[in-house]
Amino acid sequence: MALYLSKSGKHLPNLKQKFGLLRRINNNLSSCSWSCCFHHQNQPSLSPIPIGIIPTLFSFRRFESSKPDKHLGSLHNHGGGHPQVLNFPGGKVKFTPDLKFLSDYPDERVHCYRVLDGSGQTVGSNFVQIEKDVALKMYKDMVTLQTMDTIFYEAQRQGRISFYVTATGEEAINIASAAALTIDDLVFPQYREAGVLLWRGFTLQEFAHQCFGNKYDNGKGRQMPAHYGSNKHNYFTVASTVATQIPHAVGAAYSLKMDGRDACTITYFGDGGTSTGDFHAAMNFAAVMEVPVILLCRNNGWAISTPVSDQFRSDGVVVKGQAYGVRSIRVDGNDALAVFSAVHFARKMAISESQPVLIEALTYRAGHHSTSDDSSKYRPIEEIEWWKEAQNPVARFRKWLEGQGWWAPTSESELREYARHEVLQAIQVAEKVDKPDLAQLFTDVYDVPPSNLIDQEKSLRESVERHPHEYSH
Amino acid sequence: MLGIIRQRAASKVSHASSLEQGIRTLRAFSSSAKQMTVRDALNSALDEEMSADPKVFVMGEEVGEYQGAYKITKGLLDKYGPERVIDTPITEAGFAGIGVGAAYYGLRPVIEFMTFNFSMQAIDHIINSAAKSNYMSAGQISVPIVFRGPNGAAAGVGAQHSQCYAAWYASCPGLKVLAPYSSEDARGLLKAAIRDPDPVVFLENELLYGESFPVSAEVLDSSFCLPIGKAKIEREGKDVTITAFSKMVGYALQAAEILAKEGISAEVINLRSIRPLDRSTINTSVRKTNRLVTLEEGFPQHGVGAEICATVVEDSFEYLDAPVERISGADVPMPYAANLERMAVPQVEDIVRAAKRACYRSS
C-alpha cells in the first residue's frame, strides 16, 4: 500500500490544484483525533461523534494520510532505534508480544443514529433542521409512494400488470435520502427506490406508463415493470442484475471528480447485495480512487427468503466500511429526520473531500420481495405486522409534523384520498394506451441502426402486412 | 478520409497496392513504407486518441507503472498522469463495472484485460451493463467503452490463458467486436473503437504484438480511422475464398502462397470486424470463387465459421460448388506441451489441405 501511495503521492499536489475539491484544510489536526473516533484493536464499538465537528476533524486528514512516507525504506522510526515499529509496505506497524486475535464480533454492536422516537418526538439536537415546505413535500411524497405501492401491487394481483416491487416500510429511506440530495447528484438505484424518482418529479402517470410498457413509456416497453430510468431526473435506469449499480456509481463518481462538479453519486442496495463481488470491488475502488460516492445500504433484514443471519456474520454492513477504509454510519432507516441528516452530511463529506461514505440504514422489508413472492411462507405474519404498524416510518414522521403544528388530521384524509385518486387515474389512462410501435423493437441496440436490423424491420413489416390477423394490435 | 477511400477502392480495384502506389507518388515523401509493430500501432493510437479527447482514459491491471503487461500502454502514465492511466486492484468485475459507470456519465474508458480469458470475470458487466444498456434504457444511457486485450492462443500458456472469445462476444446484440491483424488494422480499428458511441470488444493477439507491418503515411496520420463492419481483401483470388481474422490471416496468406504454386488462386479475406460481420464482402467473394474455407483459432462448435457458413448458405447457396470447409482449433481445452499445442491450433498445412478439398483436389 505504501509503495502505491508513494508513487501517486507525487501527483497529489496536481490533484488538489486540478480539482479544487478541498474546501477546508485544517492544519491543526492531531494524529490521535483520527484513531479515537474509529475502531481500535481494543475498542470495537464506535463512539458517537458530535456531528458539527466532523467537517473540521476530517476535511484534511484524507490527503494527509496518503502523502508519501519519507522513511519508506528505513527499518527504524525517526530518532534512531525503535525496534517496536516496522515500516512495512502499507505503513508503519507497532509490534506486540501479546498473542491476541481480534474478536469476530463486537461486545456491543455499532450504535444506530436516531432522531425521532416512536412517538415522533425528537431526541437530542444533532440533526439538520428541515424547512416546513421541505418537510411537507417529504410527507406528501411518502404517502404518495405508499399509495402507489399499494394500488400497483393490487393491479398486479388483478392481472393488469405483470410484476411489481413495493418499497413498503422503506418510505423514509426513499424520500428522506432524495430530499437531502440535489438534482445534480446522480442516482444509481437497485429497484426499491421509486420514491427517489418520485421526489425528483417523475409523475404518477409516467410510473404507470412504464409499468404497462405502453407507447408513452419513456423506456419504450423494453423492461419489466418498476425498472424505471430517467436521464432528465439523473436517475439511471434500473437493471435486474444485483449490485452491478455499485461499481457503476463509483465509476460515474470518478467522472464527476474529473469534471470537478459540485455533485456526488449515490447508490442503493440491500443487505443481500453486499455479498456480491461487485460490492467488494466497488467499495475498495471507491476508497483507492477517492471518489465522491454515497453507498446507501437498505438493510431490511431479508434478501427474498434469506435472513441477514444467513447473509453475513458481521455486525451488519456498517463495519465493512472500515475494512475498506471508507467512513460509515449506521442510521435508523425508519426515521426520516435521521436519514435526511446522515445523507446531508455524507454528501458534504463526499464532495468536499472526494471520498466515499457508507450508510447502513436499518429497516424492515414490510412487503414481500416482489409480486412473485409470498413472504408469509418463510417469516411469521406477526413479525411483518409488528414492523408495519409499530415502526411505520410514515406514521412516525406524521406524528413529528403534527407536533410541529404543520399537519392537521383533516389534511391526512384529504391527502390520502387525493393520492389514491391520482394513482387510480394514472393506471386507468396507462392501461388504455397502445403498446409501443414495432420500430421500437429495433432501435437503440446501437447508436446508429445497423443494416441487418433495418432489413429485419423491413421484412417484419412486410410479414405483418401479409398476415395482419396473426399480429394483434 | 484517405484510409476509408482506399478501403472502398480496394474492393473494386483489382489490386490495392496499385492505388497505394498512386497515392504515394502524388506525395513528395519517399516511396519506401515505414515498418511498425502492432504494439507500437496500438500504443500510438491510444496516445493520439487520449491527446485528442481528454475524456479518454485507460484502466486495467499493470497499465500504468508497469507500462502495461504487454507494454501496449508504455509511456502513457508519464504523459497523461494517474488520473487518466489507472492501475487497478485485481478485480476484472470491479474495474469493468467502474469503467461502465464512468462511461454512463460521459467519460470514454479503454479497459484493458490482461487477456480476454480474464474478461470472463467481468462478462456480466460487458454484456448486461454495457451491451444492453442503450436498449434497456431506451436510448438514455450510451456506453462509449472499449474493452481491449490479447485474445486467443499464445505460446505454451495452457487452457486458461488460450481461449478465443470472438464467437461469444459476437453473438451479443449491442456489442461491436473487432479483431485487427496488421498494424494498419490495429491503428485504424482502435481509433474507430474509441470514437464509437457503442461498447466495443477489441480482440488483439499477443503473438502479433511484436510483428512488423508496413504502414503508409495516411495510416500514420492522427486522423486515420478504419470503418467498423468492413472486411479487407488481403489477397485477391478466383478459385476459393478463405475468411480469417487476427493471427490466422497471416497463416491464410502463407497458405495462399503455397496454393498459388499448385495452381489454386485463393482469395483471403481479413474480416477485421466480427460484429457487425461484413456479409456483403464475404458473399460477393463466394459468388466469385464458389468455394469457401472459414478459418479461426477458437473452438469449433458455434464458432465464427459456423455463422459465416450459415450466412453464405442463406444468401449464396446456388453459387456454392462445394461444401463449406471449417477450420478451427481442436475441440479440447488447450494443452501445454508444445507438440500437443501445435496440434490443437490450425497450421498452414491444414489450411492448404482444406482449400484443396474445397477445390476437389485431394492432397
Side-chain angles (χ1 to χ4, degrees):
Chain A
M1 188 61 183
L3 277 168
Y4 175 85
L5 286 171
S6 68
K7 280 153 194 167
S8 65
K10 65 178 183 272
H11 297 284
L12 272 171
N14 266 340
L15 262 171
K16 273 157 70 172
Q17 281 152 22
K18 260 192 191 171
F19 302 122
L21 287 169
L22 270 187
R23 303 230 186 97
R24 302 175 61 175
I25 298 173
N26 188 330
N27 288 312
N28 297 325
L29 285 172
S30 59
S31 50
C32 68
S33 63
W34 182 255
S35 54
C36 75
C37 297
F38 280 79
H39 286 251
H40 240 307
Q41 219 166 303
N42 302 316
Q43 294 150 32
S45 59
L46 189 75
S47 32
I49 312 154
I51 285 183
I53 294 179
I54 288 181
T56 322
L57 269 178
F58 299 117
S59 58
F60 184 59
R61 205 65 182 88
R62 186 88 198 155
F63 280 92
E64 199 178 290
S65 69
S66 34
K67 269 208 193 121
D69 198 315
K70 292 183 176 61
H71 299 276
L72 198 60
S74 70
L75 284 173
H76 303 293
N77 210 346
H78 16 239
H82 253 267
Q84 250 75 354
V85 175
L86 184 58
N87 211 346
F88 279 107
K92 288 206 196 93
V93 175
K94 274 201 187 132
F95 289 113
T96 169
D98 297 332
L99 176 57
K100 208 157 84 169
F101 289 82
L102 289 180
S103 169
D104 56 330
Y105 203 82
D107 293 329
E108 208 180 332
R109 292 190 64 183
V110 168
H111 294 165
C112 182
Y113 171 63
R114 172 194 253 210
V115 170
L116 282 181
D117 67 15
S119 51
Q121 302 287 321
T122 54
V123 180
S125 57
N126 276 321
F127 59 94
V128 178
Q129 300 294 342
I130 301 184
E131 310 256 307
K132 179 178 175 183
D133 49 322
V134 174
L136 285 178
K137 180 175 177 351
M138 279 170 66
Y139 183 67
K140 286 178 185 153
D141 280 359
M142 282 166 79
V143 169
T144 306
L145 176 61
Q146 247 188 353
T147 311
M148 182 175 96
D149 275 349
T150 309
I151 297 178
F152 274 84
Y153 186 90
E154 289 299 310
Q156 192 277 342
R157 282 290 177 259
Q158 292 165 12
R160 294 157 86 179
I161 55 175
S162 68
F163 176 81
Y164 193 70
V165 273
T166 65
T168 313
E170 300 180 45
E171 294 87 355
I173 293 176
N174 268 244
I175 303 298
S177 66
L181 299 166
T182 73
I183 189 66
D184 293 324
D185 301 316
L186 308 173
V187 176
F188 286 82
Q190 185 173 350
Y191 50 61
R192 229 179 271 289
E193 300 90 19
V196 177
L197 191 51
L198 181 71
W199 173 271
R200 289 185 166 199
F202 208 64
T203 65
L204 288 171
Q205 192 62 72
E206 287 173 304
F207 279 113
H209 285 323
Q210 197 282 332
C211 285
F212 281 90
N214 62 34
K215 72 178 186 202
Y216 295 138
D217 171 18
N218 81 326
K220 297 181 192 168
R222 299 276 165 73
Q223 294 221 68
M224 290 169 67
H227 286 64
Y228 317 108
S230 173
N231 268 7
K232 200 170 77 174
H233 301 99
N234 274 335
Y235 188 95
F236 279 82
T237 308
V238 171
S240 307
T241 43
V242 175
T244 50
Q245 72 277 8
I246 314 177
H248 296 165
V250 174
Y254 187 75
S255 291
L256 280 179
K257 178 176 163 175
M258 297 269 283
D259 244 7
R261 297 280 309 272
D262 178 18
C264 67
T265 65
I266 183 166
T267 181
Y268 299 82
F269 47 93
D271 37 284
T274 66
S275 295
T276 64
D278 272 341
F279 169 76
H280 162 77
M283 287 283 287
N284 194 35
F285 260 94
V288 169
M289 287 167 78
E290 296 176 14
V291 293
V293 57
I294 302 173
L295 303 116
L296 203 157
C297 176
R298 297 175 293 94
N299 183 346
N300 62 20
W302 295 92
I304 310 189
S305 68
T306 307
V308 284
S309 54
D310 286 348
Q311 195 69 248
F312 40 66
R313 287 300 164 85
S314 52
D315 171 18
V317 175
V318 65
V319 293
K320 298 186 198 224
Q322 196 181 39
Y324 296 100
V326 173
R327 199 168 297 158
S328 55
I329 188 170
R330 168 172 279 161
V331 69
D332 179 353
N334 296 337
D335 177 348
L337 289 184
V339 172
F340 186 96
S341 293
V343 173
H344 175 87
F345 277 106
R347 181 181 181 276
K348 267 197 153 75
M349 280 188 270
I351 297 174
S352 67
E353 300 170 56
S354 194
Q355 67 155 302
V357 181
L358 172 68
I359 299 177
E360 178 186 23
L362 293 181
T363 180
Y364 188 84
R365 194 196 74 210
H368 305 302
H369 167 72
S370 71
T371 48
S372 309
D373 174 48
D374 175 10
S375 58
S376 64
K377 293 269 187 306
Y378 50 80
R379 56 185 188 176
I381 299 188
E382 303 82 53
E383 178 188 300
I384 307 173
E385 288 306 311
W386 185 82
W387 281 93
K388 231 174 172 163
E389 303 306 315
Q391 298 295 318
N392 189 310
V394 186
R396 202 196 301 183
F397 194 56
R398 185 182 65 243
K399 286 184 192 145
W400 178 72
L401 279 180
E402 287 167 352
Q404 296 287 98
W406 292 347
W407 193 252
T410 45
S411 319
E412 181 68 18
S413 46
E414 234 179 78
L415 172 63
R416 294 237 172 227
E417 198 35 58
Y418 177 74
R420 193 182 148 74
H421 174 264
E422 290 296 291
V423 174
L424 285 171
Q425 174 93 334
I427 290 181
Q428 276 157 27
V429 168
E431 206 166 25
K432 298 197 187 78
V433 175
D434 285 340
K435 297 301 181 214
D437 181 64
L438 209 107
Q440 303 305 0
L441 180 61
F442 300 104
T443 54
D444 307 316
V445 181
Y446 295 99
D447 188 58
V448 171
S451 59
N452 68 313
L453 288 184
I454 294 174
D455 290 342
Q456 279 182 42
E457 186 185 339
K458 204 163 81 112
S459 83
L460 180 58
R461 285 196 188 277
E462 281 165 15
S463 187
V464 171
E465 253 183 65
R466 258 179 287 135
H467 314 279
H469 48 278
E470 283 175 25
Y471 295 92
S472 64
H473 217 260
Chain B
M1 252 176 260
L2 275 170
I4 297 176
I5 293 169
R6 204 168 67 101
Q7 180 55 26
R8 284 206 197 108
S11 52
K12 290 188 183 141
V13 170
S14 53
H15 214 285
S17 67
S18 65
L19 187 66
E20 196 179 338
Q21 290 271 21
I23 291 171
R24 261 192 252 124
T25 50
L26 278 175
R27 292 164 179 254
F29 301 140
S30 83
S31 55
S32 59
K34 190 177 163 206
Q35 292 279 329
M36 189 183 225
T37 62
V38 171
R39 175 178 288 113
D40 288 341
L42 294 167
N43 183 269
S44 60
L46 277 170
D47 193 352
E48 287 159 24
E49 293 305 300
M50 286 178 79
S51 173
D53 184 351
K55 292 196 176 302
V56 177
F57 74 101
V58 173
M59 186 155 67
E61 292 153 3
E62 312 300 323
V63 294
E65 294 290 344
Y66 195 74
Q67 310 295 322
Y70 298 100
K71 304 293 179 266
I72 307 300
T73 52
K74 183 169 181 196
L76 297 179
L77 175 64
D78 282 338
K79 194 165 174 188
Y80 297 101
E83 301 94 48
R84 293 185 66 196
V85 180
I86 304 174
D87 275 326
T88 66
I90 307 177
T91 163
E92 279 73 12
F95 61 77
I98 280 159
V100 170
Y104 281 179
Y105 183 64
L107 290 186
R108 305 189 83 95
V110 178
I111 304 296
E112 176 175 304
F113 292 119
M114 207 178 281
T115 91
F116 263 92
N117 295 275
F118 308 156
S119 76
M120 291 197 286
Q121 300 263 327
I123 203 164
D124 181 64
H125 277 296
I126 299 172
I127 307 294
N128 280 327
S129 301
K132 298 179 185 170
S133 277
N134 200 36
Y135 191 75
M136 279 169 32
S137 71
Q140 295 185 93
I141 302 179
S142 130
V143 193
I145 196 169
V146 175
F147 298 103
R148 52 157 291 273
N151 174 61
V157 288
Q160 295 173 336
H161 293 85
S162 305
Q163 191 167 335
C164 174
Y165 291 86
W168 283 22
Y169 288 121
S171 75
C172 187
L175 276 184
K176 290 180 175 159
V177 180
L178 304 176
Y181 162 61
S182 62
S183 300
E184 177 187 322
D185 290 356
R187 266 184 66 80
L189 292 176
L190 185 54
K191 279 164 169 291
I194 292 172
R195 297 177 198 178
D196 199 287
D198 298 312
V200 180
V201 167
F202 193 81
L203 305 171
E204 302 159 3
N205 185 288
E206 190 199 318
L207 297 178
L208 282 177
Y209 284 151
E211 246 186 74
S212 275
F213 293 87
V215 283
S216 63
E218 66 259 38
V219 171
L220 292 171
D221 189 72
S222 64
S223 65
F224 177 66
C225 202
L226 285 174
I228 292 180
K230 284 298 297 169
K232 180 184 179 197
I233 309 228
E234 292 284 348
R235 182 190 173 115
E236 292 227 349
K238 55 179 184 51
D239 295 328
V240 60
T241 300
I242 306 176
T243 62
F245 60 94
S246 189
K247 192 161 108 251
M248 290 289 121
V249 175
Y251 281 38
L253 290 170
Q254 287 179 52
E257 274 299 316
I258 297 171
L259 288 164
K261 295 191 179 73
E262 306 197 28
I264 296 177
S265 155
E267 177 149 290
V268 176
I269 299 181
N270 172 6
L271 293 174
R272 282 181 166 175
S273 178
I274 315 296
R275 186 179 181 101
L277 199 56
D278 189 352
R279 296 166 204 272
S280 153
T281 299
I282 296 168
N283 276 286
T284 304
S285 174
V286 172
R287 288 179 182 212
K288 181 174 70 166
T289 66
N290 310 122
R291 293 160 206 279
L292 175 62
V293 174
T294 70
L295 172 58
E296 68 198 288
E297 215 178 37
F299 298 136
Q301 192 167 342
H302 307 298
V304 175
E307 176 63 29
I308 295 176
C309 176
T311 206
V312 163
V313 164
E314 282 162 7
D315 292 344
S316 309
F317 183 66
E318 322 81 67
Y319 294 83
L320 283 170
D321 284 348
V324 175
E325 291 276 341
R326 271 191 303 173
I327 307 173
S328 68
D331 201 14
V332 300
M334 185 69 71
Y336 165 74
N339 65 323
L340 297 179
E341 186 180 37
R342 199 184 177 284
M343 286 191 279
V345 282
Q347 301 299 331
V348 175
E349 307 81 63
D350 299 315
I351 308 167
V352 171
R353 275 197 292 268
K356 282 179 170 173
R357 282 196 301 270
C359 295
Y360 297 148
R361 303 252 294 267
S362 60
S363 54

